[in-house]
Amino acid sequence: MSTHFSVSVHCLLLLSLSAPERITSAEIAGSVNTNPVVVRRILGGLKKAGLVNSSPGTRGFYLAKPASEITLAMVYEAAKDEGPLFPIHGNCNPNCEVGLQIDGLLTNLYQIAESKVEQFFATITLEDMERTSTERIRASQLEANQKSN
């Protein structure tokens, strides 16, 4: 799996925390520390999934629905790659008995694991993530203030 999921969550958290203000892909890219083109590609997938919006002639993106209605399962579905969450390595030695069996051994287990991940992600909203992020930011600021005094 690529980093699209974590970057998607990062983008959505920035949009949620700045609401109702819009944020440009360049501003988001500065936080993610990547190219704005990468951010626009990810935001395009989130827009296609109905999670973010933008308006022609108006700069910036915004959440298409309240953070309380966006689950991590929705983000995962919008951000996931074509391949499975847990890819199986290929090109095993055809003369190795274990190598010949590894695909069959792991495929079902990986499918079950991915299903469990999706079920778990369905229980967590962007609002939950925002709350946790805000708590961590405050704790970090408090710790920094205590160190400087």
Side-chain angles (χ1 to χ4, degrees):
M1 177 174 197
S2 70
T3 59
H4 290 174
F5 175 72
S6 61
V7 172
S8 295
V9 172
H10 189 146
C11 293
L12 291 168
L13 277 171
L14 288 170
L15 293 173
S16 182
L17 289 167
S18 69
E21 300 297 319
R22 295 168 181 247
I23 303 181
T24 67
S25 57
E27 292 168 321
I28 294 170
S31 178
V32 176
N33 202 23
T34 192
N35 189 299
V37 173
V38 172
V39 170
R40 281 192 293 277
R41 192 175 311 123
I42 288 172
L43 288 169
L46 295 173
K47 186 174 182 175
K48 186 177 178 182
L51 303 178
V52 302
N53 250 329
S54 63
S55 303
T58 307
R59 292 179 48 149
F61 292 84
Y62 58 94
L63 293 180
K65 53 179 73 182
S68 61
E69 295 178 17
I70 298 174
T71 67
L72 290 187
M74 297 163 82
V75 179
Y76 174 73
E77 188 60 36
K80 78 178 180 179
D81 301 68
E82 294 296 318
L85 177 61
F86 305 106
I88 299 172
H89 65 285
N91 299 327
C92 293
N93 182 341
N95 297 319
C96 175
E97 291 180 16
V98 172
L100 290 173
Q101 301 301 315
I102 198 70
D103 191 320
L105 285 169
L106 294 177
T107 297
N108 190 47
L109 292 174
Y110 284 178
Q111 288 171 344
I112 293 168
E114 186 166 8
S115 174
K116 299 272 186 203
V117 166
E118 290 174 359
Q119 289 171 9
F120 174 65
F121 281 171
T123 68
I124 302 169
T125 66
L126 183 60
E127 183 178 58
D128 297 330
M129 296 293 290
E130 182 181 342
R131 188 174 23 260
T132 302
S133 177
T134 301
E135 289 169 3
R136 288 180 177 206
I137 290 168
R138 285 185 188 137
S140 177
Q141 290 170 341
L142 181 62
E143 183 179 316
N145 285 340
Q146 289 174 344
K147 285 183 180 179
S148 68
N149 290 333

